[in-house]
Amino acid sequence: MADEAAQQAIPKSAIFAVKTTANQERSVANLIAMVTRKENLDIRSVLVPEELKGYVLVESPMAEIVEDCIKNIPHAKAVVRGASSITEVQHFLAPKPTVTGISEGDIVELTAGPFKGEKARVKRIDEAKEEITVELSEAMVPIPVTVRGDIVRVLSKEETGAKK
Amino acid sequence: MAKTKADAKSRKAGSNLKACRQCHNLLEGDVCPVCQSGALSEDWSGYVVIIDPARSEIAKLMNVKRPGKFALKVR
């Protein structure tokens, strides 16, 4: 009973996006946490998803609290108008494996590493390690190369049922 | 000199932190102070600072019960 009353007394969280300088998201998040502790503000968490460049997401019941907090924080530019619910940012908490969307036989382009720019065909996918094994298209001898799933870009998907 | 500069850069970006593979806690040492695990990884992404775990809904969703810095994804 007392717990229920205590739960009701806590204002509901909302998510506010704060625009930041690119690549300064983590330092802004650290500073927001520091100011929150120092000034005892009602900010509950700060989220910096890898996919969201130039923004940090702040969990707080009111936008005014966030605005007040970022006033003197370098690289924090402004609070984006409007609030999001927790369900809208929930997908950031469980990021998808990087190999999602890649299947065996696809033609991919390597985007980093010593084979950057090379085209290759996917031979094997290791979902647990988020690695793929590819064979470079332009190599004389097909040598399997294992690379991370996030350094490839899919160029064309394998046509199913069109085996020669 | 170059090494010092690189060190400063990595410190600034927070990339010197390691993530515990079990609890996703971000730390600087060699043993996770939370779960006492030595399974740490430098390859992590996504960053969360939990300030008030009792009232944070993100902390509840992540099943985090203590304040601190956490990674969203640990490889």
Side-chain angles (χ1 to χ4, degrees), chain A residues 26 31 49 52 83 90 95-96 119 127 137 153 158 164:
Chain A
R26 282 182 198 165
L31 288 169
L52 205 60
Q90 208 172 342
K96 269 194 238 164
K119 287 182 185 133
E127 283 212 23
S137 308
R153 184 163 60 93
E158 188 201 29
K164 284 178 189 173

Side-chain angles (χ1 to χ4, degrees), chain A residues 10 13 15 26 30 33 42-48 50 59 86 90 92-93 96 98 129-130 148, chain B residues 13-15 43-52 55-58 60-62 69 72-73 75:
Chain A
I10 299 171
S13 293
I15 302 291
R26 282 182 198 165
N30 287 337
D42 192 1
I43 290 177
R44 295 156 189 189
S45 65
V46 188
L47 185 64
V48 187
E50 198 70 9
E59 183 188 0
I86 301 288
Q90 208 172 342
F92 288 128
L93 302 178
K96 269 194 238 164
T98 48
K129 287 186 185 168
E130 294 185 25
R148 282 172 56 155
Chain B
S15 55
D43 192 1
W44 53 271
S45 67
Y47 188 68
V48 189
V49 186
I50 301 291
I51 303 161
D52 187 350
R55 296 195 292 177
S56 166
E57 287 186 39
I58 286 178
K60 269 177 214 154
L61 288 170
M62 288 178 69
K69 296 169 189 171
L72 286 176
K73 188 173 178 178
R75 283 165 65 104

Side-chain angles (χ1 to χ4, degrees), chain A residues 107-139:
Chain A
I107 303 292
V108 294
E109 184 187 328
L110 302 176
T111 56
F115 300 114
K116 184 179 176 180
E118 297 262 3
K119 287 182 185 133
R121 182 180 288 275
V122 179
K123 286 288 164 192
R124 202 167 43 244
I125 297 167
D126 188 335
E127 283 212 23
K129 287 186 185 168
E130 294 185 25
E131 284 176 347
I132 60 168
T133 304
V134 297
E135 274 179 7
L136 301 174
S137 308
E138 281 152 36

Side-chain angles (χ1 to χ4, degrees), chain A residues 17-43:
Chain A
V18 175
K19 180 102 183 74
T20 70
T21 309
N23 301 320
Q24 295 295 329
E25 298 89 351
R26 282 182 198 165
S27 64
V28 169
N30 287 337
L31 288 169
I32 289 175
M34 206 180 79
V35 172
T36 301
R37 286 190 196 106
K38 199 176 165 191
E39 296 185 12
N40 213 8
L41 299 171
D42 192 1
I43 290 177

Side-chain angles (χ1 to χ4, degrees), chain A residues 53-106:
Chain A
K53 209 168 184 161
Y55 291 92
V56 298
L57 303 172
V58 181
E59 183 188 0
S60 175
M62 283 164 74
E64 288 78 7
I65 300 171
V66 184
E67 280 166 8
D68 198 33
C69 178
I70 65 156
K71 228 183 280 173
N72 295 318
I73 293 178
H75 302 296
K77 291 176 183 169
V79 180
V80 177
R81 205 181 292 172
S84 303
S85 64
I86 301 288
T87 48
E88 282 175 294
V89 298
Q90 208 172 342
H91 66 280
F92 288 128
L93 302 178
K96 269 194 238 164
T98 48
V99 292
T100 309
I102 304 171
S103 42
E104 283 175 19
D106 287 357

